[in-house]
Amino acid sequence: MSWAVVARKDFNDARRSRSLWALSATFLALALLFAGLYAFVPEFTADEEASTLGLMTFLAAPVALFVAVAALVIAYKSIAGEVESGSGKLLLSLPHTRRDVVLGKIVGRSLVLSIPVLVGLVAMLAVVLVGDVSFSATDYVLFTLVTMLFVLVYIAFFVGISAGTTSTARAATLSVLALVVLEFAWDIVPMGAWFVANGFQVPPGLFSGAAMPNWVALLANLPPSSAYMNAVAGVLTGSMSASGPWYLSRWFSLVVLAVWGIIPIVLGYLRYNHADL
């Protein structure tokens, strides 16, 4: 359980950081704001009865963006920073393997980010209970579990990037670039691929709201946040299947999330394991 020792130390170091308290306060404020808008401003419920399902659906996008940005801030220096400062050598001089370090960093940083997220989600209960919102404990718990999985995935993603380089500047650059592409610029990818596949001509129906081909829909659903929101919709509605191909099913979104968490950390670990520190 050497990785647990690394995780405990990493968590204890991080919990004394002002950034953790700032993140907690930021997410708490955002959670209460969005919950308040949904519960007390009728326009946000689209003339439907306010419910936990509606609130969680309403919150999915802002929660996804917050987790992605916060995970970058928390995790990009996790390993690269120690390698650059030389403290990584000291850590490895103890009975820890490099695998223990990587796993411990993932667990420790995931716990660090989970705290503000859980605090915000629990605080929202007060708004839900005070407001005229039909409450479902099951929906709330399911949303929280999927969100915790999303936290773990994005922390693993950025720890993987950090493990793959020995420079915090490079880790920051790669992490920010990945975040921008996945969270802000990805819509261009499926549309651009569709344009190229159509012989560099605008596909018929692109701007008329026509259904896109299945392979384009798959590309659109590949970013972690898209997979997270699809998974949230699936577990809350109890419908994880799809009328189309299996790779557009909501259960497949959980597979996509797992891939985003596993592949970067495997690649980062392999590079870190062979790096000359």
Side-chain angles (χ1 to χ4, degrees), residues 124-254:
M124 282 193 305
L125 286 175
V127 177
V128 170
L129 296 176
V130 171
D132 188 18
V133 178
S134 175
F135 178 70
S136 168
T138 301
D139 288 343
Y140 216 87
V141 170
L142 288 174
F143 178 79
T144 301
L145 290 176
V146 177
T147 302
M148 291 300 101
L149 172 63
F150 186 59
V151 166
L152 177 62
V153 166
Y154 247 131
I155 288 292
F157 179 81
F158 287 121
V159 169
I161 292 178
S162 185
T165 180
T166 57
S167 164
T168 54
R170 193 175 299 116
T173 300
L174 292 174
S175 296
V176 170
L177 180 61
L179 180 70
V180 169
V181 171
L182 293 176
E183 296 297 329
F184 301 104
W186 187 265
D187 288 346
I188 300 173
V189 175
M191 295 301 103
W194 193 7
F195 176 77
V196 173
N198 198 52
F200 292 92
Q201 297 181 1
V202 177
L206 177 61
F207 301 110
S208 63
M212 61 181 66
N214 289 332
W215 67 270
V216 178
L218 173 63
L219 284 178
N221 291 328
L222 283 184
S225 291
S226 296
Y228 163 71
M229 288 187 282
N230 286 335
V232 165
V235 298
L236 292 182
T237 60
S239 175
M240 297 297 287
S241 59
S243 57
W246 59 270
Y247 52 79
L248 295 182
S249 300
R250 285 167 175 166
W251 66 262
F252 188 70
S253 298
L254 295 174

Side-chain angles (χ1 to χ4, degrees), residues 24 27-33 35-36 52 55-56 59 63 66 113-131 135-137 139-141 143-145 147-148:
S24 299
F27 186 74
L28 178 60
L30 289 175
L32 292 176
L33 172 63
T52 309
L55 175 61
M56 299 299 97
L59 284 173
V63 167
F66 171 83
L113 181 52
S114 295
I115 288 178
V117 173
L118 287 173
V119 167
L121 293 180
V122 170
M124 282 193 305
L125 286 175
V127 177
V128 170
L129 296 176
V130 171
F135 178 70
S136 168
D139 288 343
Y140 216 87
V141 170
F143 178 79
T144 301
L145 290 176
T147 302
M148 291 300 101

Side-chain angles (χ1 to χ4, degrees), residues 37-64:
L37 289 174
Y38 182 82
F40 299 108
V41 181
E43 288 77 10
F44 285 92
T45 58
D47 297 324
E48 298 179 358
E49 180 185 359
S51 64
T52 309
L53 174 60
L55 175 61
M56 299 299 97
T57 304
F58 182 65
L59 284 173
V63 167

Side-chain angles (χ1 to χ4, degrees), residues 58-149:
F58 182 65
L59 284 173
V63 167
L65 182 58
F66 171 83
V67 168
V69 174
L72 184 153
V73 174
I74 290 173
Y76 85 93
K77 290 196 299 184
S78 56
I79 294 178
E82 292 190 347
V83 172
E84 189 175 64
S85 67
S87 60
K89 291 182 180 179
L90 176 61
L91 184 62
L92 291 173
S93 67
L94 301 172
H96 305 311
T97 65
R98 300 192 188 198
R99 182 178 60 184
D100 292 330
V101 171
V102 172
L103 183 56
K105 294 292 184 180
I106 293 173
V107 174
R109 303 290 163 125
S110 295
L111 290 173
V112 168
L113 181 52
S114 295
I115 288 178
V117 173
L118 287 173
V119 167
L121 293 180
V122 170
M124 282 193 305
L125 286 175
V127 177
V128 170
L129 296 176
V130 171
D132 188 18
V133 178
S134 175
F135 178 70
S136 168
T138 301
D139 288 343
Y140 216 87
V141 170
L142 288 174
F143 178 79
T144 301
L145 290 176
V146 177
T147 302
M148 291 300 101
L149 172 63

